[in-house]
Amino acid sequence: MGLPNAEMDDVVGKEYAQGFVTDIESDTLPPGLDEDVIRAISERKCEPSWMLERRLSAYRHWLTMQEPNWSSVKHPSIDFQAISYYSSPKQRPELDSLDQVDPELLSTYEKLGIPIDEQKALAGVAVDAVFDSVSVATTFRHTLAEAGVIFCSMSEAIREYPELIKQYLGSVVPYKDNYFAALNSAVFSDGTFVFVPKGVTCPMELSTYFRINEAKTGQFERTLIVAEERSQVSYLEGCTAPMRDENQLHAAVVELVALEDARIKYSTVQNWYPGDAKGRGGIYNFVTKRGDCRGDRSHISWTQVETGSAVTWKYPSCILRGRDSVGEFYSVAVTKGHQQADTGTKMIHIGENSRSTIVSKGISAMRGSNAYRGLVRVAAKAENARNHTQCDSLLIGDRCAAHTFPYIEVKNPTAQVEHEATTSKVSDDQLFYCRQRGLSEEDAVSMIINGFCKEVFNELPMEFAVEAQKLLAVSLEGAVG
Amino acid sequence: MLTIKNLTASVDGKEILKGIDLTVRAGEVHAIMGPNGSGKSTLAHILSGRDGYEVTGGEIVYKGQDLLSLETEVRAQAGIFLAMQYPVELPGVNNMTFLRESMNAIRRSRGEDEIDAVSFMKQVRKKAAQVKLDPKLLKRSVNAGFSGGEKKRNEILQMAMLEPYLAILDETDSGLDIDALRTVADGVNLLRSPERSMIVVTHYQRLLEYIEPDRVHVLVGGRIIRSGGKELALELEARGYSWLVEEAAA
Ligand SMILES: Nc1ncnc2c1ncn2[C@@H]1O[C@H](COP(=O)(O)OP(=O)(O)OP(=O)(O)O)[C@@H](O)[C@H]1O
Ligand SMILES: [Mg+2]
């Protein structure tokens, strides 16, 4: 290709633009995990005893489990005793407004471009900013409350809405589900709870920003979104992390429940620290995201743009229980440097006429390795289930890799399952053509990549689509060969 | 406009151009003819700065600048345009977006403002009609799934929009039906002006009936073995290249 490999790595090796660390006094538990640590977490969050019992059951189950090693991702084994499981930025008591929030914290948000301000209000976005483990700022609660929408931190929800939490938390991802889900269920620190009652269309896009700040602090978010009959909600999630030497573990669980005729759209633009040029210090991202289309004609749509993390292991999934329910998965995953991504989705068809669409776009540059792993399962009673999967890989340079692993299990003869896969390269010819028309190599690559990702970007809420394009441009700057 | 002096170049150690001399003045149209594999596309690629060729000797001066020291996109911004023998497909990249980005990149490099959306649309519609390019193709991905003739028209559209100072057309006439040939030639003639030069690579005298060249050069085995007026093309059409090769060898 155009540039020799060494030179290519040089241009690609852009420093992570958002790698800075905020100096804030933290209330952090010493590293290590045992039942006492779990009790301490629960106590600090003033949880009721039933929650503590749930955590302990999950922990005891986790102890019996093995860390999975079946994915194509390679990473040094994680020392779970070296991680601190609770960290909260110290707040001044009784905050009436943002003016009273730690100015360091606010300036961190500013650097990250997180707008907890009028601009966002105009854009119609409510922000629940999660700083490390505790929610520190929530806006627009009143507008939402008027509509009857609950949008609050998980800790608050556990105290204020115990009945809803007991009913729904863990109903989509039980703690026995997998190793990281069990760990999360035992030690989850905070997260977001959204509840949209019958017939309500949430009046604004909901968004949360995550940020990992404490060294060696695992981040164990827990998100639950419940959309009752005929309700609708769109939730946006975005992440960045500061530069650190040690690998940081992130094991979040996201559960979505859509009842009859409800619609949930969950969008993620993820930009975690991927590690330095040698692959050191990136985020390990093991996430369980699952949506349950419980009601007839319910609709759950996952859209994600992944550019960060050293290791990503993530399969947003849909369980299509309701008749005529619809599951969608649109994904762009970028891996460069030493990044590894093992992502994909699972569509489990149980209801009659359930339909699912999967569009997965993988981009690999430098030594990046990208794997798509998709499961489409059609249960025996899922008459006329339909799936269409389109899985495209784009390679930049000749030392990166892309793998596709489609798993299809069909137990009903009326099902129609289609799988299409393509692999293409950004070719010398294409780059020459663009440059001959006056475009720089970088603009050419970003144009070709945006073209490649268009179907996914189209699914993102407008302002996120713009951010996603920028993010891709930044993260692939110079990734040409 | 352009002066090439004793240019030699090779690919993978194999010498392809063996000493090219060529001078193109502002306003002139030069035709380059020659058998397959003689080095015509190689010359066009070297002029436009394509990677993969090693220039082993000689020099190229374009508008007073040492062309060989400039990056590909800088040459394009300086007004060099290559209509390619095999236009490249860019799946997912909208044809109009590409054209606008390209125009704006060139404008920015010259310190000009970007073109506003309305004037751009007007211009692109008008020029697409001139080269008889189906407007539907403007909304599709660049060249993706275009027929051979459609790709060539699209190249001419780009040329018309970008208004280069030195346009190099590498076999833009190959694979065109007679009407299309006419349209392409019209497109080229519309651009002819005293401050613009063109190098037209072709195998067919027919194109030169529509685009009257000031000079015709015959490139054989990496050398220009004969240059002449437009009547040289007619002679080549009638007699082929062998007599020239024999004369040159003699
Ligand atoms: N990348 C390359 N690798 C090896 N040989 C090459 C390469 N590019 C060109 N050549 C060789 O250089 C010679 C000249 O090729 P070029 O494409 O310039 O010919 P041309 O005159 O344009 O021919 P045509 O009329 O068929 O288009 C040919 O022998 C060709 O095989
Ligand atoms: Mg050629």
Side-chain angles (χ1 to χ4, degrees):
Chain A
M1 308 225 85
L3 292 171
N5 280 328
E7 198 178 326
M8 186 176 94
D9 285 355
D10 200 42
V11 251
V12 183
K14 284 254 336 168
E15 294 281 307
Y16 179 71
Q18 286 164 331
F20 49 82
V21 176
T22 311
D23 189 15
I24 282 186
E25 276 185 86
S26 291
D27 166 22
T28 301
L29 282 181
L33 183 56
D34 56 25
E35 293 202 2
D36 286 342
V37 167
I38 290 167
R39 284 175 211 282
I41 294 171
S42 191
E43 195 181 317
R44 263 159 225 245
K45 305 182 91 51
C46 313
E47 283 178 359
S49 59
W50 59 266
M51 194 66 235
L52 174 63
E53 286 313 312
R54 281 189 170 208
R55 287 180 182 272
L56 290 171
S57 314
Y59 174 68
R60 287 167 196 147
H61 185 75
W62 178 72
L63 289 175
T64 69
M65 297 173 96
Q66 287 288 317
E67 195 180 337
N69 63 354
W70 55 270
S71 79
S72 69
V73 164
K74 291 185 196 70
H75 61 88
S77 67
I78 298 162
D79 180 358
F80 292 95
Q81 294 304 332
I83 294 170
S84 162
Y85 288 84
Y86 185 80
S87 153
S88 116
K90 268 194 184 156
Q91 294 176 49
R92 283 157 215 173
E94 289 173 11
L95 303 181
D96 296 324
S97 76
L98 285 179
D99 304 343
Q100 293 173 325
V101 174
D102 188 331
E104 276 262 15
L105 204 55
L106 289 179
S107 89
T108 299
Y109 289 145
E110 242 155 65
K111 275 191 242 173
L112 285 169
I114 300 174
I116 318 172
D117 52 28
E118 285 12 80
Q119 291 171 26
K120 275 280 175 180
L122 291 169
V125 178
V127 177
D128 177 354
V130 175
F131 187 83
D132 265 23
S133 313
V134 173
S135 303
V136 289
T138 304
T139 48
F140 306 105
R141 295 277 294 274
H142 295 296
T143 318
L144 292 171
E146 265 168 35
V149 174
I150 301 170
F151 178 46
C152 65
S153 73
M154 185 57 78
S155 326
E156 188 181 337
I158 289 166
R159 291 190 302 266
E160 305 290 324
Y161 312 100
E163 294 316 310
L164 287 174
I165 297 299
K166 276 187 201 163
Q167 186 182 351
Y168 290 108
L169 190 72
S171 74
V172 185
V173 181
Y175 64 80
K176 290 185 176 168
D177 191 81
N178 69 67
Y179 188 80
F180 292 107
L183 180 63
N184 177 287
S185 303
V187 303
F188 74 84
S189 36
D190 213 330
T192 305
F193 175 60
V194 178
F195 180 83
V196 190
K198 275 182 197 159
V200 171
T201 296
C202 185
M204 59 184 71
E205 307 259 8
L206 303 179
S207 78
T208 302
Y209 282 80
F210 298 79
R211 183 167 157 82
I212 301 175
N213 199 324
E214 288 295 311
K216 284 188 267 178
T217 300
Q219 186 89 8
F220 302 93
E221 296 291 337
R222 187 86 193 195
T223 301
L224 171 64
I225 299 178
V226 178
E228 281 200 326
E229 291 83 351
R230 300 180 316 284
S231 69
Q232 287 194 26
V233 61
S234 166
Y235 184 87
L236 323 174
E237 163 198 57
C239 322
T240 52
M243 190 180 286
R244 277 293 177 183
D245 270 333
E246 273 134 301
N247 290 302
Q248 293 174 300
L249 174 65
H250 187 100
V253 171
V254 176
E255 298 176 277
L256 311 182
V257 180
L259 303 184
E260 244 175 63
D261 294 293
R263 221 183 149 98
I264 301 176
K265 187 172 174 63
Y266 192 104
S267 313
T268 307
V269 172
Q270 196 257 66
N271 176 27
W272 278 347
Y273 181 54
D276 66 12
K278 295 207 177 80
R280 282 177 315 211
I283 301 288
Y284 286 11
N285 189 26
F286 300 97
V287 181
T288 306
K289 286 182 165 176
R290 192 173 304 153
D292 190 353
C293 284
R294 226 166 260 185
D296 293 349
R297 296 168 304 279
S298 56
H299 187 138
I300 289 180
S301 172
W302 297 100
T303 305
Q304 58 177 30
V305 176
E306 302 267 348
T307 65
S309 299
V311 174
T312 300
W313 178 90
K314 176 171 168 179
Y315 304 90
S317 310
C318 294
I319 301 171
L320 302 165
R321 242 183 266 282
R323 292 172 69 127
D324 297 292
S325 59
V326 177
E328 292 171 325
F329 174 74
Y330 298 93
S331 163
V332 169
V334 179
T335 51
K336 63 170 185 181
H338 290 260
Q339 275 178 287
Q340 305 174 62
D342 193 308
T343 69
T345 184
K346 295 176 195 163
M347 293 291 175
I348 313 296
H349 291 259
I350 298 169
E352 280 176 36
N353 293 319
S354 53
R355 279 164 292 145
S356 62
T357 301
I358 299 171
V359 177
S360 161
K361 306 274 180 178
I363 300 170
S364 318
M366 296 159 77
R367 292 172 191 276
S369 144
N370 218 321
Y372 167 81
R373 203 183 288 279
L375 169 68
V376 177
R377 180 183 292 152
V378 179
K381 54 184 181 172
E383 288 286 310
N384 292 314
R386 300 270 179 279
N387 164 269
H388 182 84
T389 299
Q390 188 195 323
C391 188
D392 301 322
S393 309
L394 185 69
L395 306 179
I396 305 174
D398 44 23
R399 287 180 307 167
C400 49
H403 312 277
T404 305
F405 307 99
Y407 304 92
I408 299 171
E409 301 169 16
V410 177
K411 299 221 172 73
N412 184 307
T414 61
Q416 281 184 25
V417 177
E418 300 163 355
H419 180 93
E420 279 177 53
T422 66
T423 301
S424 51
K425 265 183 101 153
V426 175
S427 71
D428 284 353
D429 285 348
Q430 289 176 325
L431 290 176
F432 171 64
Y433 192 67
C434 295
R435 293 177 68 198
Q436 211 302 302
R437 299 304 185 247
L439 300 166
S440 70
E441 203 161 55
E442 284 174 7
D443 288 348
V445 171
S446 104
M447 190 180 251
I448 291 168
I449 284 167
N450 281 330
F452 176 73
C453 301
K454 200 152 64 185
E455 288 155 279
V456 175
F457 288 169
N458 286 345
E459 292 300 319
L460 286 172
M462 189 58 180
E463 59 164 34
F464 249 36
V466 175
E467 262 176 54
Q469 282 197 19
K470 276 195 213 139
L471 191 56
L472 233 57
V474 170
S475 61
L476 284 168
E477 217 155 89
V480 184
Chain B
M1 176 75 71
L2 180 76
T3 314
I4 304 176
K5 277 192 197 140
N6 198 24
L7 180 72
T8 55
S10 54
V11 174
D12 294 339
K14 179 185 157 205
E15 190 169 48
I16 312 239
L17 301 184
K18 299 176 180 162
I20 303 273
D21 289 288
L22 180 68
T23 301
V24 180
R25 275 177 281 272
E28 289 181 349
V29 173
H30 288 229
I32 296 181
M33 305 184 77
N36 294 133
S38 59
K40 303 180 297 297
S41 293
T42 302
L43 178 61
H45 285 150
I46 289 175
L47 285 173
S48 51
R50 182 170 194 149
D51 291 333
Y53 300 91
E54 197 197 342
V55 174
T56 50
E59 61 169 17
I60 307 176
V61 178
Y62 167 73
K63 291 182 145 213
Q65 276 179 292
D66 170 20
L67 189 69
L68 292 171
S69 68
L70 304 180
E71 291 289 332
T72 308
E73 58 269 33
V74 177
R75 299 185 198 192
Q77 290 157 5
I80 290 186
F81 179 92
L82 171 64
M84 305 208 187
Q85 182 169 1
Y86 305 106
V88 179
E89 303 193 358
L90 301 176
V93 179
N94 176 273
N95 204 14
M96 258 197 295
T97 309
F98 179 67
L99 199 46
R100 200 177 59 230
E101 291 294 324
S102 163
M103 267 183 107
N104 283 334
I106 292 173
R107 281 171 169 246
R108 279 194 305 269
S109 76
R110 297 177 184 169
E112 295 165 15
D113 287 340
E114 297 194 352
I115 185 165
D116 67 276
V118 177
S119 340
F120 173 79
M121 288 299 293
K122 270 192 193 152
Q123 253 194 64
V124 86
R125 290 232 173 80
K126 183 175 133 216
K127 292 188 170 167
Q130 272 169 10
V131 301
K132 300 201 172 68
L133 184 87
D134 184 341
K136 281 195 206 99
L137 298 183
L138 293 173
K139 294 187 187 134
R140 291 200 358 212
S141 297
V142 180
N143 294 328
F146 287 22
S147 77
E150 288 167 344
K151 286 182 183 170
K152 296 296 176 79
R153 284 181 208 261
N154 201 36
E155 294 287 285
I156 297 301
L157 170 68
Q158 291 176 5
M159 180 177 78
M161 294 290 290
L162 299 178
E163 302 185 324
Y165 294 112
L166 175 64
I168 305 158
L169 283 74
D170 192 0
E171 296 198 30
T172 303
D173 54 334
S174 294
L176 292 185
D177 63 43
I178 297 171
D179 292 338
L181 189 69
R182 193 68 226 226
T183 317
V184 166
D186 288 347
V188 170
N189 286 330
L190 271 173
L191 270 186
R192 275 183 97 149
S193 86
E195 75 269 14
R196 199 164 282 144
S197 310
M198 306 204 192
I199 296 175
V200 180
V201 175
T202 181
H203 287 292
Y204 306 105
Q205 192 274 331
R206 182 189 300 273
L207 180 71
L208 304 179
E209 276 174 22
Y210 302 128
I211 306 174
E212 277 200 30
D214 298 292
R215 297 289 286 166
V216 175
H217 308 278
V218 182
L219 184 61
V220 177
R223 284 193 184 90
I224 291 179
I225 59 166
R226 178 69 68 97
S227 297
K230 59 174 191 268
E231 63 291 341
L232 179 58
L234 279 170
E235 206 171 352
L236 289 172
E237 179 97 337
R239 300 174 63 186
Y241 294 111
S242 51
W243 62 280
L244 267 179
V245 177
E246 279 157 28
E247 269 182 30

